[in-house]
Amino acid sequence: MKVTMSDIEAARRTIAGHVLHTPMLPAPKLSALTGASVLVKYENLQVTNSFKERGALNKLSSLSASDRARGVIAMSAGNHAQALAYHAARLGIPATIVMPVTTPFVKVAATQAHGADVLLDGETLNEAQARAEAIALERGLSLVHPYDDALVIAGQGTIALEMLQEAPDLEMLIIPVGGGGLIAGNAVAARSVAPRIEIIGAEAALYPSVWNALHGENRPCGGPTLAEGIAVKNVGALTFPIVSALVAEIVLVDEVHLERAVNAYLTLQKTMAEGAGAAGLAAMLAKPERFRGRKVGLILCGGNIDPRVLASVMVRELKREDRIVSFRLTIPDRPGVLGQIATRLGELGTNILEVDHRRLFLDVPAKGAKLDVTVETRDRVHAEAVLRALEADGLQLARIEMATAME
């Protein structure tokens, strides 16, 4: 392994005073949700809202004066870009960032706001990397890799030092996995300080790169994921040996559990988590038996999520919990019926969110209509009571799954 505890301790000294020592706090509501004793390390409170500042600054600080004058380049889906741009500007180093064209606009705009030149190129991080490497050779720029660099890995490892200093009795760390820089650095640090601690990786099920490498499998790798920050197809040459040696398990998390985790951070912890940042909690929700009764440290590694996506996640979770319910009624098409139904729904304690009155369906009589209604309820029990009451009123009713205007 090319990253040692002494490298991480040196990184800690280098970044001290320039990167926030983020709080780590107990999370009683997440503990109740998962059955474990959960503490959260809030790396989303960094200036650029992710842990990436640690590794980026450690790397930038190592550059010679001539390297700084020529400038740096990186490929990134967003968080590394922002971190590098911010600290490069602070140190007076010109920065160019190649970002995939699929990068959320909020991350592109934030990177540009820190003064970096942004080039959108390629559908994936791999394609962006090829362009960044070509430009680095052409212009003599220093490439700052987002994860496969010893100094970057060492910088990320400072998180575990802080966590175990404050909670030395942690039994597990659950760490999001993309290219592996975050989990590799923190695995080295944590296992050096607490040799018996378990390191668990949380990887997006659509991008099981590390899983495939560890298990000798060839699961498909690709597709739109909420956790675009860890949507990486290549395993790092430096990170993989560390992961293989020190990580106990990789948990694959699907999109539903990622959405649930993002929503839980917002509604229960009142804090912002992007999909990748919530992956550790998603792993706990996906395999609760694996973590029940244990003292677990979560790294909320990033909070840069598109507000539109966040709004959609929240509405979708309300629908999963039956706090938003959609159903279709077949009704007689005559004056006053819609008003009667609206009054009845009010009596039942619902809030009407959306109504779609359809008269042209061929599976109803000419004097009939379909009425699609979306309502807000208190909970699943209330929702079921409302539907039973409508059926008892003699209404023909069918539950439907539909997108609401709110989404």
Side-chain angles (χ1 to χ4, degrees), residues 288-304:
E289 71 287 347
R290 179 70 171 85
F291 309 103
R292 189 172 290 117
R294 309 293 294 279
K295 189 165 186 178
V296 176
L298 293 178
I299 301 175
L300 199 178
C301 61
N304 291 307

Side-chain angles (χ1 to χ4, degrees), residues 54-69:
R54 297 171 181 264
L57 178 57
N58 195 44
K59 177 67 174 182
L60 289 173
S61 299
S62 74
L63 298 179
S64 67
S66 58
D67 287 338
R68 294 188 183 200

